[in-house]
Structure formats: structure tokens, C-alpha cells
Amino acid sequence: MKKGSTRFLKFVICLIAIGAFIWLIWFPQLEGRAADLDLISIYKDPLIIYAYIGSIPFFIALYHVFKILGYIDGNKIFSQSSVNAVKNIKYCAITFSGFIVVGILYIRLFVRGDDPAGVTALGMVTTFASIVIATAAAVFQRLLQNAVDIKSENDLTV
């Protein structure tokens, strides 16, 4: 049962990663500013390049979630490497929300001619979700570290 659940979650993580990657490739072609640009010029837009750089923490976090699921499969969840993976997820979520906030500020302050309300609202929701993930990861990190410490103490006494 446990292997089936983690396999399903790994499959979902892969689907999320593939969907996000396809969206990153496809969205610039749909954007209104890119209507008159050729295929190469679309991807030279500074905001698109910034979005690609800002998505790196997202994909790193997905990789660490995949690693945690592997630790669960291998019955190694109470190890320092799983604590480090959760810590990296926390840092990735904080970094991702920072990229979003800077991107929203750039759009609000420097981009003229477009209505920034939709981008701002979507960015606020995404930033909030990212901060919630970072907070949950911090709580799980603390709990997992306590469990690892207790496990190591029990291993020493036995």
C-alpha cells in the first residue's frame, strides 16, 4: 500500500513538473506582447528570462519532494538527509516567493501600457501559497529533526 501511494505521488510530481515546463515554453507565445515577434525574439524578453530563472527554485523543490518520497520508500524518512531535503524545500519556497514579489514590483513600477491588476493578484496568491509551503516545511523540518534526534539517542542506548 505504501509503495503504491508513493508511486502515485511521484507520478503526480512528475505531471506537475512536466505541466509547469510545458507552460513555461508555451505561455510566451500566447502573451499579448509577443503577438508581432518571431519565435527567437519572444524568448529574449527580459520578463520571460526572469520567469525562467525564477522557476528554477520551483523545480528544485519538486526534485526534493521526489527525494523525500524515495526516502519514504526506502524506510529512511527519519534521517538527516530527509531533514536536509525538507530544509531545501523551505528555502526554495522562500526564494520562489521572493522572485514573484520582485517580478510584481517590476511590473507595477516599470511596465507601462498593460493593466497589472491580474498579474498582481495572481502573484499575491502564488506568493501566499509559497509562504504557506515554506512555513509547513519549517514545521516539518523541526518535527523531523526532533524525530531524528530521538532516533539517534535510542540507537546509542541500545
Side-chain angles (χ1 to χ4, degrees), residues 24-50 52:
L24 283 171
I25 299 297
W26 187 43
F27 177 73
Q29 298 173 10
L30 300 176
E31 187 188 22
R33 293 174 15 163
D36 298 329
L37 298 177
D38 61 301
L39 197 56
I40 301 297
S41 298
I42 290 172
Y43 296 103
K44 288 183 180 178
D45 184 10
L47 285 176
I48 300 301
I49 293 170
Y50 183 77
Y52 288 159

Side-chain angles (χ1 to χ4, degrees), residues 150-158:
I150 290 171
K151 182 179 181 251
S152 66
E153 286 176 13
N154 287 341
D155 289 344
L156 290 174
T157 58
V158 172

Side-chain angles (χ1 to χ4, degrees), residues 26 30 32-33 48 55 61 63 68 75 96 119-120 153 158:
W26 187 43
L30 300 176
R33 293 174 15 163
I48 300 301
S55 69
Y63 170 73
I68 288 173
N75 209 10
F96 186 66
V119 174
T120 303
E153 286 176 13
V158 172

Side-chain angles (χ1 to χ4, degrees), residues 128-144:
F128 177 73
S130 186
I131 290 172
V132 167
I133 290 170
T135 305
V139 170
F140 290 142
Q141 177 190 353
R142 190 174 334 121
L143 291 172
L144 199 55

Side-chain angles (χ1 to χ4, degrees), residues 100-101 104 108 117-131:
I100 293 170
V101 168
I104 290 171
R108 298 282 300 175
V119 174
T120 303
L122 184 62
M124 288 171 52
V125 169
T126 309
T127 302
F128 177 73
S130 186
I131 290 172

